[in-house]
């Protein structure tokens, strides 16, 4: 099995020019925990914003400035400093046996799948591996 067999292609992405309020709303409304960040200039994948990072930043803002100031602070905080920009990228033909080891060794929640031009094609999450495991267990 390869990455293409389990990757999600129904992606929810965000612009690298977006603010934290945009990301917070998008994650909340679309029910996602990982937002691929796409460059406004060339459409390439430039980062990943995780739910964990977003929540920790929001909680820090609430603690520091109070809940009443949260909306304003989120609108003034760009996502570029918060996104992970140094991350492993996958190709669709990567064998899952290798990818799962990378997930385990690095305790990752997701890995983006990109084409040769750096544009996102999909995403593989730890949940995708849990679903695969459930399917394999049911077939025994």
């Amino acid at each position: 099995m390869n990455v293409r067999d389990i990757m999600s292609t129904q992606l929810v992405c965000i612009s690298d020019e977006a603010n934290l309020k945009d990301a917070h709303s998008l994650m909340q409304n679309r029910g996602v925990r990982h937002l691929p960040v796409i460059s406004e200039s060339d459409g390439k994948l430039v980062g990943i914003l995780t739910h964990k990072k977003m929540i920790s930043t929001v909680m820090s803002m609430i603690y520091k400035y109070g809940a009443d100031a949260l909306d304003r602070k989120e609108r003034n905080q760009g996502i570029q400093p918060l996104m992970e920009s140094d991350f492993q990228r996958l190709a669709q033909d990567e064998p899952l046996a290798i990818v799962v080891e990378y997930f385990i060794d690095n305790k990752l929640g997701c890995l983006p799948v990109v084409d040769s031009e750096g544009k996102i094609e999909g995403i593989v999450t730890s949940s995708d591996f849990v679903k695969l495991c459930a399917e394999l267990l049911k077939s025994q």
Side-chain angles (χ1 to χ4, degrees):
M1 292 187 82
N2 294 328
V3 165
R4 77 173 50 83
D5 298 318
I6 68 166
M7 73 181 199
S8 301
T9 56
Q10 300 297 317
L11 299 173
V12 177
C13 299
I14 195 164
S15 162
D16 62 344
E17 299 297 321
N19 61 45
L20 184 59
K21 180 68 175 177
D22 298 330
H24 191 167
S25 296
L26 196 54
M27 283 185 178
Q28 191 171 26
N29 294 334
R30 300 294 294 276
V32 296
R33 297 179 322 168
H34 309 96
L35 283 177
V37 181
I38 308 301
S39 170
E40 278 284 327
S41 63
D42 61 12
K44 292 182 180 179
L45 179 69
V46 294
I48 302 285
L49 181 63
T50 65
H51 186 255
K52 182 178 181 178
K53 182 65 174 182
M54 190 267 307
I55 288 295
S56 101
T57 303
V58 166
M59 293 307 292
S60 177
M61 287 176 170
I62 289 172
Y63 180 75
K64 190 171 182 179
Y65 304 108
D68 293 339
L70 180 61
D71 187 69
R72 181 174 44 84
K73 291 294 183 182
E74 280 186 313
R75 290 183 195 284
N76 291 326
Q77 173 64 62
I79 62 169
Q80 287 187 14
L82 305 176
M83 70 183 189
E84 180 63 47
S85 56
D86 182 26
F87 53 89
Q88 179 70 32
R89 293 159 175 85
L90 299 175
Q92 287 192 33
D93 59 353
E94 296 271 352
L96 288 182
I98 293 171
V99 175
V100 73
E101 291 300 323
Y102 193 83
F103 266 86
I104 291 167
D105 292 345
N106 295 286
K107 295 181 176 49
L108 297 173
C110 78
L111 287 170
V113 182
V114 297
D115 65 15
S116 60
E117 297 175 3
K119 295 192 177 179
I120 191 157
E121 298 181 304
I123 194 167
V124 175
T125 68
S126 54
S127 295
D128 294 325
F129 277 102
V130 171
K131 289 174 192 171
L132 175 61
C133 183
E135 288 176 24
L136 294 173
L137 288 171
K138 287 177 187 175
S139 67
Q140 285 186 346

